[in-house]
Amino acid sequence: MVVESWVGSMSRLLPRAIREGGHEFTFLTRDLHHYLRSAPEGTAHPLLGARNIVTADTNDLQALLPEVERLHAVLGFDGVLTSCDYYLPTAARIAGRLGLPGPGPEAVENACRKDATRRILADAGLPQPRFAVHEEWADIARAAREIGYPLVVKPVDLCAGMYVRRVDDEAELAAAFRALAGFPVNARGQRRAPVVLLEELLDGPEVSVETVSHGGAVHVVGVTDKSIGGAPAFIETGHMFPAALSPADTEAAEQTALGALKALGLTDGVVAHTEVKLTSAGPRVVEVNPRPAGNRITELVRHVTGIDLAAAFVDVALGRTPDLRRTDTGLRSAAIGFLVPHTAGTLEALDGTELQDTPGVLEVQLAEPGKPVKAAGSNNEYLGHVMAGDAEGPGARDRVEALLAGLRAGLVIR
């Protein structure tokens, strides 16, 4: 059973992995039109390749659990998964109710709530930024003064960098607080927790550790780096796998991620994407995501190592041992760069036709002229991406940056 999904790349990768693994799936959703609206023109959405499509209120867990029990009695599910952050706790609860493989529901819920993650990691003594969690403005303002500006304001239950902002003073903090208060329901109709997470602003580069947990053991697949832009927002502008780190920094990032996964109880039946800052004072946990990485990172990993994290996600959901054997793909690094709009308007010109045949280019996906454009405030406003590989070493990022520079030169938004 697949419970909801994102409408981006994982909505295509996951059905492919299920099909190539020799399986079929039932798709459970509260709003099928949400996916039909996002289908590429002239094609059916990949999620419509499901053997069964069932409409149910996936936001009402109390009513949903008896419904999936009835479905299970007829269809006999072997596993439950989702690629959408907002439904990871739901999928874990369903798997637990049906006695199917998967991580503990409480562990998933704690990982999906940034405030719960912070408290659990603090209790375990793991390195992380100084933080505070409050709901009322007076408490938030006081905590900000205690932590000290500049700091980072975060919602505890959103993703893709939505409403995550750097603030340098109380006026900016108040504006960020008002913006969050004006977004009480997420994009899937779920009411948000009205609390705000404040964190110390960390220095240093950010990386992510990609892991697969099975049979009580956590396997590190590798470390990915991250480029950030769009200040005061924190927009992911690109990634490279593997990260160009020293062996000591790689080991520090991996051990920090493993400690966080252990503290949260995510050591079985989960593919995880743990973000770590390599600060001047040592590594610090940013957040733990109990699902495969987004933004095509899984494809970077596959191009370099041959390991398919989408397939591993399916395997662990079925209680099967995932295939994590590395193969020689001919590439030593792979990178992706995103075209991030800085102004609003209508896309008039963006031509990347010649990139398709450029040596080393692995993927090109660009928005079509006529698309309404918003100035980016999160990872949801990209105008496309370019992915490239390097057979010699860690040169994939430089290749991607050069290609993006050419695209930006011909980008017209009016």
Side-chain angles (χ1 to χ4, degrees):
M1 174 187 286
V2 176
V3 183
E4 303 289 5
S5 173
W6 289 123
V7 294
S9 64
M10 191 54 69
S11 70
R12 290 153 175 76
L13 294 173
L14 194 55
R16 184 214 72 199
I18 292 171
R19 182 181 65 254
E20 291 180 356
H23 315 298
E24 295 179 314
F25 69 99
T26 290
F27 185 52
L28 189 66
T29 178
R30 65 190 291 268
D31 180 13
L32 184 59
H33 291 285
H34 180 82
Y35 302 93
L36 296 176
R37 287 192 296 268
S38 70
E41 187 174 350
T43 65
H45 198 287
L47 290 165
L48 300 186
R51 181 176 181 179
N52 306 289
I53 297 176
V54 178
T55 301
D57 190 350
T58 51
N59 287 349
D60 184 349
L61 187 62
Q62 186 174 359
L64 184 63
L65 289 176
E67 177 67 15
V68 297
E69 283 184 317
R70 289 190 288 271
L71 289 171
H72 182 51
V74 176
L75 299 174
F77 303 115
D78 299 305
V80 184
L81 45 70
T82 181
S83 68
C84 181
D85 296 58
Y86 299 139
Y87 294 96
L88 290 166
T90 299
R93 286 290 172 189
I94 291 173
R97 181 72 164 256
L98 300 183
L100 297 176
E106 289 187 8
V108 173
E109 289 164 2
N110 287 332
C112 290
R113 280 285 300 248
K114 295 179 178 66
D115 51 341
T117 297
R118 285 278 171 251
R119 292 181 179 116
I120 289 170
L121 298 188
D123 289 344
L126 289 169
Q128 55 177 344
R130 289 178 293 128
F131 72 95
V133 182
H134 294 290
E135 181 175 346
E136 301 298 329
W137 166 249
D139 296 326
I140 291 170
R142 183 179 64 254
R145 290 191 293 270
E146 292 172 354
I147 294 172
Y149 294 98
L151 49 76
V152 180
V153 178
K154 292 182 178 181
V156 299
D157 52 5
L158 291 177
C159 50
M162 292 184 66
Y163 292 93
V164 178
R165 296 291 182 270
R166 167 180 169 148
V167 296
D168 291 311
D169 54 41
E170 193 163 298
E172 292 181 359
L173 176 62
F177 174 75
R178 289 193 299 270
L180 264 178
F183 193 71
V185 178
N186 69 23
R188 296 306 183 95
Q190 299 168 334
R191 184 154 293 277
R192 295 190 46 254
V195 293
V196 176
L197 174 62
L198 304 179
E199 293 181 356
E200 167 192 10
L201 181 66
L202 300 173
D203 64 3
E206 185 172 327
V207 300
S208 60
V209 182
E210 323 307 337
T211 56
V212 179
S213 302
H214 178 72
V218 182
H219 305 271
V220 176
V221 175
V223 180
T224 311
D225 75 7
K226 179 186 296 186
S227 300
I228 299 290
F234 294 84
I235 300 172
E236 297 178 1
T237 60
H239 304 274
M240 185 171 76
F241 182 92
L245 300 175
S246 68
D249 281 344
T250 299
E251 176 71 10
E254 292 177 354
Q255 290 304 314
T256 300
L258 291 173
L261 292 168
K262 182 178 179 181
L264 287 164
L266 294 170
T267 57
D268 196 15
V270 63
V271 177
H273 168 73
T274 304
E275 296 171 345
V276 176
K277 272 271 195 179
L278 298 173
T279 79
S280 56
R284 299 289 184 268
V285 177
V286 176
E287 63 184 48
V288 180
N289 300 283
R291 42 81 177 160
N295 270 355
R296 307 292 285 174
I297 290 173
T298 57
E299 291 301 277
L300 300 181
V301 172
R302 185 177 63 82
H303 280 301
V304 175
T305 69
I307 296 172
D308 188 338
L309 288 174
F313 189 34
V314 173
D315 284 334
V316 298
L318 294 169
R320 300 183 180 186
T321 301
D323 185 357
L324 302 179
R325 292 172 296 176
R326 293 173 179 261
T327 58
D328 185 359
T329 66
L331 292 180
R332 295 295 173 262
S333 67
I336 187 169
F338 300 99
L339 197 58
V340 180
H342 302 294
T343 59
T346 300
L347 179 62
E348 287 202 357
L350 176 59
D351 185 11
T353 306
E354 72 286 354
L355 296 183
Q356 301 286 355
D357 298 322
T358 301
V361 170
L362 302 171
E363 287 183 14
V364 179
Q365 181 178 320
L366 301 173
E368 296 288 338
K371 175 184 173 65
V373 178
K374 292 173 57 180
S378 71
N379 299 339
N380 293 324
E381 285 86 33
Y382 299 137
L383 292 180
H385 70 260
V386 177
M387 185 186 295
D390 181 13
E392 304 300 326
R397 175 183 292 285
D398 290 342
R399 290 190 180 189
V400 164
E401 289 300 328
L403 295 169
L404 282 176
L407 285 174
R408 292 188 191 102
L411 173 65
V412 179
I413 299 173
R414 294 205 172 121

